[in-house]
Amino acid sequence: SNLTHWSHYVGFADQAYTNGQTATIKTYGNNVDTLSGLTIGSRYYVQGDGTVGTSWDSSGLSAFETNTPTAGTALSSTKLLIRDPFAEHN
């Protein structure tokens, strides 16, 4: 999916869902363990294509005040501690 505006990012689904299913969305302060390939201790940012990465997506999300919202910090290779999307980048 494409994230085209900062207000469209609210968190992460806790599992895979199909159209019509009720979904649980985890927001900041929670952990999500449906990701893979994370580097422990690294900060991740939401990318314009809906993925997460360790760098800002300044081209895809220029509508954000700081370009790219913070997704969280990796606790393991599959677990991300979801952070406030407007948290400082430093």
Side-chain angles (χ1 to χ4, degrees), residues 41-84:
S42 292
R43 184 174 298 184
Y44 284 83
Y45 302 94
V46 178
Q47 306 296 294
D49 63 1
T51 62
V52 296
T54 55
S55 61
W56 302 351
D57 185 0
S58 60
S59 63
L61 292 171
S62 58
F64 281 90
E65 290 180 25
T66 56
N67 293 328
T68 302
T70 301
T73 303
L75 301 176
S76 74
S77 63
T78 59
K79 185 181 280 189
L80 187 75
L81 171 61
I82 304 169
R83 296 189 53 192
D84 181 340

Side-chain angles (χ1 to χ4, degrees), residues 4 14 19 36-37 44 47 50 72-73 89:
T4 58
D14 66 342
N19 288 342
S36 64
Y44 284 83
Q47 306 296 294
T73 303
H89 289 280

